[in-house]
């Protein structure tokens, strides 16, 4: 596809993340760009992913091997349900968890400034 050559790496990488809806490593994104003959280097992929994360349009987590993986994500606070089969990620707002987090301060005086909670299982289509 001719027009892909003209697209900036940042747009290409953001598009891959937006379509996949699962955590991808820089190497996996690099592989896809290679297939599309995008001519983007692996170090550009690393740099671009970090920039997307800094801008708040992507989030990252370490996978089981300790490798950084990235997901297109909105900056507003929410949690993720991650499918162990297909890797699909769903956003889950969770008011009950936010209430519990606040109770840590009310009941223990613990000054909470953030939390990370992930849910694992199988998505609807993986049953
Ligand atoms: Zn999200
Ligand atoms: Zn699934
Ligand atoms: Zn939360």
């Amino acid at each position: 596809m001719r027009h892909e050559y003209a697209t900036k790496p940042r747009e290409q990488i953001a598009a891959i993340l937006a379509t996949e809806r699962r955590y991808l490593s820089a190497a996996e994104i690099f592989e896809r760009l290679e297939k599309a003959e995008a001519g983007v280097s692996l170090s550009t992929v690393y740099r671009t992913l970090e920039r997307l994360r800094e801008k708040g349009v992507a989030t990252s987590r370490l996978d089981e091997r300790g490798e950084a993986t990235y997901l297109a994500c909105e900056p507003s606070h929410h949690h993720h349900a991650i499918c162990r089969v297909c890797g699909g990620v769903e956003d889950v707002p969770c008011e009950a968890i936010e209430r519990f987090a606040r109770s840590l301060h009310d009941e223990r005086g613990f000054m909470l400034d953030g939390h990370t909670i992930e849910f694992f299982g199988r998505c609807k289509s993986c049953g």
Side-chain angles (χ1 to χ4, degrees):
M1 275 184 284
R2 187 96 194 97
H3 73 272
E4 277 186 358
Y5 288 86
T7 317
K8 291 194 183 80
R10 191 167 60 86
E11 286 160 14
Q12 290 174 301
I13 291 167
I16 290 170
L17 289 177
T19 330
E20 295 265 353
R21 290 301 297 144
R22 61 194 191 87
Y23 281 95
L24 294 172
S25 67
E28 287 174 307
I29 290 166
F30 179 67
E31 234 169 68
R32 283 163 177 72
L33 289 167
E34 286 256 278
K35 262 182 213 147
E37 293 177 38
V40 178
S41 71
L42 183 57
S43 64
T44 300
V45 175
Y46 276 113
R47 231 187 6 258
T48 306
L49 285 169
E50 267 311 293
R51 210 153 288 162
L52 290 170
R53 194 181 59 75
E54 282 162 16
K55 284 186 67 186
V57 294
T59 184
S60 70
R61 69 188 288 277
L62 299 178
D63 69 9
E64 309 71 44
R65 292 164 303 170
E67 193 179 355
T69 55
Y70 295 81
L71 174 81
C73 193
E74 17 174 316
S76 66
H77 180 78
H78 59 271
H79 302 272
H80 287 149
I82 303 171
C83 177
R84 288 192 195 275
V85 182
C86 71
V89 177
E90 292 171 35
D91 287 350
V92 274
C94 218
E95 191 41 44
I97 288 171
E98 305 319 315
R99 267 202 305 278
F100 172 75
R102 283 193 297 272
S103 77
L104 278 176
H105 179 252
D106 298 343
E107 286 164 27
R108 296 166 181 256
F110 185 85
M111 289 297 284
L112 201 72
D113 62 13
H115 61 259
T116 307
I117 298 169
E118 292 172 320
F119 300 96
F120 292 95
R122 286 160 181 247
C123 74
K124 215 171 180 178
S125 24
C126 294

